[in-house]
Amino acid sequence: DFGAGNAHRILDKYRGEVPKGYVTLREGMTATSDELMRHLEEHISRIEMPRGVEIRATLPKTVIGKPSRKDLLAEELAKLKQN
């Protein structure tokens, strides 16, 4: 049990879109993106596998407190524009 998480699509030049995971860790817990990816490989199918997992201090929230996919997508688009 890692804390909170969300998966969202990100743009990919080859596939068009691919899933990406966003995770917050519980206080005192340590894990790397690679460790989380290995854990996911044991529990979900290859088609469902995200292309990466980003460990974050917090996730953006909607007004009602759910993780905001819209804000995560906007952040990814901003990253693409910088590159």
Side-chain angles (χ1 to χ4, degrees), residues 49-79:
M49 276 298 290
R51 297 297 176 250
V53 174
E54 182 178 321
I55 299 173
R56 301 172 56 126
T58 61
L59 291 172
K61 305 278 184 183
T62 64
V63 175
I64 60 173
K66 292 183 177 183
S68 175
R69 292 179 180 208
K70 180 181 172 183
D71 290 343
L72 290 171
L73 180 57
E75 288 178 18
E76 289 296 329
L77 290 173
K79 287 179 190 176

Side-chain angles (χ1 to χ4, degrees), residues 21-51:
Y22 301 88
V23 175
T24 60
L25 299 176
R26 291 185 188 273
E27 190 174 326
M29 187 175 185
T30 59
T32 66
S33 294
D34 290 337
E35 290 170 337
L36 293 173
M37 289 294 286
R38 282 193 298 274
H39 174 77
L40 289 173
E41 286 173 353
E42 299 171 7
H43 291 65
I44 62 176
S45 72
R46 186 176 166 105
I47 273 188
E48 297 171 313
M49 276 298 290
R51 297 297 176 250

